[in-house]
Amino acid sequence: MSVHFEVVLSCFLREGTPPEVLAALHWHLELSDAWPEGLGPEHRSPMLGTDPESRLPGGDVASLRREPGYEDFGPRGRWGLYYRGSWIDDVMGELATVLDLLAPHAEDGHGGYVRAEHETVPTVVVFRDGAYGPV
């Protein structure tokens, strides 16, 4: 019997995040069918897709959107990523692949959490100095 986990990623990506990273995220979120150039073999399949039959209350959610902002020289913005999905223990090791992709470009701070289905206390993910880890 598999253990199910709720995986939540919630972060902003810094301005200047390379287009290939954004393309990889679009592919992982199943917002694009196109295989991104330069993606390594550790990215075997999209990992942040949503499942219409999700076991999570309210279902899975996936969003990557440009956040608006303005400066003297014109519009600018950062990308906001929000993902909530149900994972089984067999694929939890692949979460590192996604976090390795995000960490160098994520703004420092809260990055989400991981929680076993029947647990009440999550393991918080934090991004700091281009790396990630639990609190």
Side-chain angles (χ1 to χ4, degrees), residues 77-92:
R78 58 188 178 175
W79 289 89
L81 169 68
Y82 183 79
Y83 168 80
R84 177 179 180 246
S86 179
W87 290 38
I88 59 171
D89 55 358
D90 294 346
V91 297
M92 284 302 292

Side-chain angles (χ1 to χ4, degrees), residues 51-69:
D51 178 1
E53 302 296 321
S54 175
R55 298 166 57 114
L56 294 174
D60 294 355
V61 179
S63 173
L64 179 65
R65 68 183 193 132
R66 188 107 171 131
E67 299 291 326

